[in-house]
């Protein structure tokens, strides 16, 4: 039987940026029907290699062999939506010039992904933009589909739809992703880009770790046979990645124990009056929420929800996009007041909040100065650490300590932001989508750090594998205000939800009800004033917070009250008024944000 020739081949590809070679002598071939995952550390050149395959970047040297008439669909990690007025225009832009009138192809994908086609891309959520970018890559019915981090910002329903598309896709697919479950479900072949060399394994990602360990062990044997010192990077791979993975079984046993403890806590809470808890339990209480409700207009976000979080719990928050996960975090951390019910926070709680969409890094600062502005040591969880040693914990090489932040790749910047957040003194960690754009090695590291963290953790993430390995329980937000706590893995929860009998379809509104329904849903965008406030309220809050810091410094003068009591009273009143104003502005901003999410669907 004749073997079908590859539809796309690259030989001897080389590419350097300045004096630094990114990859050398890369050979690859793609067969029709291949389902390939492309893996490697942040900064190794995965996205660049995908751009070379898509002919978005020309390599310094390479031979290409491409089947005539081959179509390539490419979705970059950061798609450019400038110049488009609606998400429909984004999708239709993927149609070839000769097929611009075949808009039915766009219609099918818009319906399948439930894209809000009339939405302006600049006002759309990350999830809506990601779905539109996926549809644009698919609409020209490509022979090769190239996807760079396609699951970022997608909820589990959209990820499962994408898995179904890839599994049924007759062409070839190459995917870069940090989502282990997603890669295991869709790949049959693995490309591993490592220190400028591309390796191929004709097995899917489920076998990657076993293959990676074999390659590393073989390298060490070869180096020892040549009586050479093990290369620094090989040593790091062996001692870091492999050793960390071997400790996974111990972490898993500890996580199972924590889940059992959480199950017993819930039984205790269910059978004992919360108001009459013992002093010991009360001292361990981190968050207590009783019968809380929260709505924005007619939209119910949280309905009659009670929860007690005990020290050491690691709670994941999951649910569809727009179900209110961030709102629940704001409620549980008292950034937002419930409409009814009450929330109590434990004493002496030190919170560290990680949101990689909002944290900023100074591009001119070095990694050293970012972590340690003065001296060479920083305090991390009660222990002094040398800044270089701490950077090595986060997979940075010693010579990177004096590099500017601007020289880092996107994934490396995320890794540095994680290091900054985890260096803060805390006993309560809030992580809102921490896994986006992190490579596999950093995810392994993050899992280990969270396992060793002896405080309490709230996590929002759609990454099934990450949540399975970190969360003691998950709070599932259905989207109608109901919240259910599941003790166990996120994957088990998803399977339970799939096995539940489907409810009967709600009857369509009558002809008399339809005009009212249309009237209620006719708003398709925020007003100019609302959009202005959404963009500018955060800056007003920052100004007030900066003013409060200055006031607090002034009030810290022990002689102020005796020397100038009038000024002391003025500053105290101003501080209180500013805090009230900050709370008012934050609530106003959140209500507008929730309205924007509702418009986006």
């Amino acid at each position: 039987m004749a073997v079908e020739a590859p539809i796309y081949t690259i030989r001897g590809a080389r590419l350097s940026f300045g004096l630094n070679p990114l990859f050398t002598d890369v050979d690859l071939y793609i067969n029709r029907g291949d389902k390939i995952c492309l893996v490697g550390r942040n900064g190794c050149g995965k996205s660049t290699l995908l751009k070379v395959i898509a002919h978005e970047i020309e390599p310094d040297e390479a031979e290409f062999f491409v089947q005539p008439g081959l179509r390539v669909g490419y979705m970059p990690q950061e798609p450019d939506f400038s110049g488009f007025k609606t998400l429909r225009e984004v999708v239709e832009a993927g149609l070839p010039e000769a097929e611009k009138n075949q808009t039915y192809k766009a219609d099918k994908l818009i319906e399948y992904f439930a894209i809000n086609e009339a939405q302006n891309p600049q006002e759309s959520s990350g999830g809506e933009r990601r779905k539109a970018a996926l549809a644009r890559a698919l609409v020209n019915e490509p022979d090769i589909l190239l996807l760079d981090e396609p699951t970022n910002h997608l909820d589990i329903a959209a990820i499962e739809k994408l898995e179904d598309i890839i599994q049924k896709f007759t062409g070839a697919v190459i995917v870069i992703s940090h989502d282990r479950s997603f890669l295991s479900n869709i790949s049959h072949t693995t490309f591993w880009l490592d220190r400028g060399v591309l390796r191929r394994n004709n097995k899917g990602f489920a076998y990657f770790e076993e293959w990676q360990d074999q390659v590393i062990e073989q390298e060490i044997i070869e180096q020892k046979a040549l009586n050479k010192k093990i290369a620094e990077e090989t040593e790091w791979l062996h001692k870091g990645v492999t050793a960390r993975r071997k400790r996974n079984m111990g972490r898993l046993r500890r996580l199972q124990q924590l889940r059992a403890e959480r199950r017993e806590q819930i039984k205790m809470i269910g059978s004992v009056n919360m108001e009459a808890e013992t002093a010991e339990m009360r001292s361990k209480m981190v968050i207590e929420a009783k019968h809380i409700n929260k709505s924005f207009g007619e939209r119910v976000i949280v309905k009659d929800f009670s929860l007690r979080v005990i020290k050491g719990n690691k709670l994941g928050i999951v649910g569809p996009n727009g179900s209110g996960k961030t709102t629940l975090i704001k409620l549980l951390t008292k950034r937002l007041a419930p409409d009814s019910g009450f929330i109590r926070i434990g004493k002496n709680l030190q919170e560290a909040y990680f949101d990689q969409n909002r944290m900023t890094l100074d591009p001119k600062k070095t990694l050293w100065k970012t972590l340690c502005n003065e001296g060479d040591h920083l305090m991390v969880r009660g222990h002094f650490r040398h800044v270089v040693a701490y950077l090595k914990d986060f997979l940075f090489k010693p010579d990177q300590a004096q590099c500017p932040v601007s020289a880092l790749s996107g994934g490396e910047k995320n890794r540095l932001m994680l290091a900054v957040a985890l260096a803060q003194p805390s006993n309560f960690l809030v992580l809102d989508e921490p896994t986006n754009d992190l490579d596999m090695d950093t995810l392994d590291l993050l899992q280990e750090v969270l396992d060793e963290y002896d405080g309490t953790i709230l996590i929002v993430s759609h990454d099934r594998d990450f949540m399975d390995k970190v969360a003691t329980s998950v709070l599932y937000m259905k989207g109608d205000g109901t919240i259910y706590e599941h003790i166990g893995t996120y994957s088990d929860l998803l399977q339970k939800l799939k096995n539940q009998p489907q409810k009967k379809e709600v009857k369509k509104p009558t002809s008399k009800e339809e005009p009212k329904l249309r009237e209620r849903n006719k708003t398709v965008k925020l007003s100019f004033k609302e959009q202005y406030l959404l963009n500018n309220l955060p800056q007003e809050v920052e100004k007030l917070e900066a003013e409060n810091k200055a006031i607090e410094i002034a009030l810290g003068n022990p002689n102020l009250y005796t020397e100038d009591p009038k000024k002391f009273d003025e500053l105290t009143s101003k501080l209180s008024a500013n805090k009230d104003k900050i709370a008012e502005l934050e609530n106003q901003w959140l209500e507008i944000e929730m309205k924007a999410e509702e418009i986006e669907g």
Side-chain angles (χ1 to χ4, degrees), residues 141-347:
E141 299 174 339
D143 300 289
I144 298 177
L145 181 62
L146 308 174
L147 303 175
D148 194 346
E149 294 288 0
T151 63
N152 279 359
H153 308 293
L154 294 186
D155 59 25
I156 194 65
I159 291 173
E160 288 179 341
K161 286 181 178 180
L162 179 58
E163 286 180 359
D164 187 58
I165 283 179
I166 292 174
Q167 288 162 357
K168 294 176 180 176
F169 190 68
T170 57
V173 182
I174 303 181
V175 178
I176 297 172
S177 177
H178 65 273
D179 188 326
R180 283 179 163 91
S181 297
F182 173 71
L183 291 182
S184 296
N185 290 341
I186 60 96
S187 64
H188 304 146
T189 301
T190 304
F191 285 174
W192 178 21
L193 188 57
D194 175 45
R195 290 163 286 167
V197 177
L198 185 71
R199 295 180 173 91
R200 178 187 182 112
N201 186 29
N202 291 321
K203 290 183 179 180
F205 181 77
Y207 300 91
F208 171 68
E209 292 182 349
E210 176 187 341
W211 174 49
Q212 184 187 38
D213 288 346
Q214 290 171 355
V215 171
I216 293 170
E217 292 291 349
Q218 186 59 38
E219 280 192 7
I220 291 171
I221 291 169
E222 289 173 359
Q223 298 241 3
K224 284 183 176 178
L226 294 170
N227 293 318
K228 289 185 177 180
K229 181 183 176 184
I230 298 173
E232 181 181 329
E233 290 187 47
T234 306
E235 186 178 16
W236 172 83
L237 279 168
H238 179 62
K239 291 185 177 178
V241 177
T242 309
R244 187 174 295 121
R245 190 175 302 124
K246 287 177 179 176
R247 292 196 292 271
N248 277 351
M249 291 308 297
R251 297 213 310 266
L252 181 59
R253 286 191 295 271
R254 173 173 161 78
L255 185 57
Q256 289 169 342
Q257 179 185 349
L258 290 172
R259 284 174 179 149
E261 289 175 6
R262 181 61 183 166
R263 197 172 284 111
E264 290 302 314
Q265 289 166 5
I266 288 179
K267 286 180 183 177
M268 189 184 305
I269 292 167
S271 60
V272 179
N273 185 335
M274 286 191 192
E275 296 297 330
E277 288 286 358
T278 64
E280 180 183 1
M281 285 296 293
R282 194 171 288 278
S283 67
K284 291 182 180 179
M285 190 274 294
V286 177
I287 300 172
E288 184 179 27
K290 294 188 72 173
H291 304 296
I292 62 171
N293 293 274
K294 187 65 185 178
S295 299
F296 292 99
E298 296 182 1
R299 185 180 178 190
V300 179
I301 306 299
V302 178
K303 181 169 59 180
D304 193 26
F305 176 59
S306 297
L307 175 74
R308 170 169 265 201
V309 181
I310 307 299
K311 179 184 176 183
N313 290 163
K314 297 170 183 178
L315 270 63
I317 302 176
V318 300
N321 284 342
S323 59
K325 296 184 293 295
T326 300
T327 301
L328 181 60
I329 280 183
K330 288 180 179 290
L331 287 167
L332 295 178
T333 56
K334 299 196 78 170
R335 287 177 168 81
L336 181 66
D339 297 334
S340 61
F342 83 87
I343 297 167
R344 193 157 56 94
I345 301 294
K347 293 181 179 179

Side-chain angles (χ1 to χ4, degrees), residues 88 103-114 141:
R88 167 170 278 277
T103 55
Y104 67 90
K105 295 180 180 179
D107 294 337
K108 288 194 296 184
L109 289 165
I110 288 170
E111 181 180 1
Y112 183 76
F113 282 115
E141 299 174 339

Side-chain angles (χ1 to χ4, degrees), residues 303-406:
K303 181 169 59 180
D304 193 26
F305 176 59
S306 297
L307 175 74
R308 170 169 265 201
V309 181
I310 307 299
K311 179 184 176 183
N313 290 163
K314 297 170 183 178
L315 270 63
I317 302 176
V318 300
N321 284 342
S323 59
K325 296 184 293 295
T326 300
T327 301
L328 181 60
I329 280 183
K330 288 180 179 290
L331 287 167
L332 295 178
T333 56
K334 299 196 78 170
R335 287 177 168 81
L336 181 66
D339 297 334
S340 61
F342 83 87
I343 297 167
R344 193 157 56 94
I345 301 294
K347 293 181 179 179
N348 303 319
L349 211 59
Q350 287 183 291
E351 178 192 299
Y353 190 91
F354 175 74
D355 179 353
Q356 61 186 37
N357 291 323
R358 296 176 188 173
M359 290 183 69
T360 57
L361 297 171
D362 185 344
K364 296 178 182 178
K365 273 191 173 183
T366 63
L367 277 66
W368 184 305
K369 289 294 184 182
T370 298
L371 284 166
C372 186
N373 203 39
E374 295 182 3
D376 55 8
H377 281 74
L378 68 162
M379 181 71 77
V380 180
R381 294 189 291 279
H383 301 283
F384 276 107
R385 298 293 309 280
H386 192 279
V387 65
V388 173
Y390 186 62
L391 282 168
K392 286 178 73 175
D393 285 350
F394 287 84
L395 315 182
F396 290 104
K397 298 175 188 175
D399 58 4
Q400 286 183 287
Q402 298 296 347
C403 289
V405 170
S406 59

Side-chain angles (χ1 to χ4, degrees), residues 27-58:
D27 295 335
L28 65 85
Y29 61 89
I30 304 168
N31 293 317
R32 190 174 299 280
D34 275 351
K35 303 295 187 292
I36 301 167
C37 64
L38 174 56
V39 300
R41 280 186 287 161
N42 288 137
C44 72
K46 299 187 300 294
S47 294
T48 303
L49 180 57
L50 215 61
K51 289 177 181 178
V52 168
I53 298 170
H55 296 294
E56 295 278 323
I57 289 179
E58 289 296 320

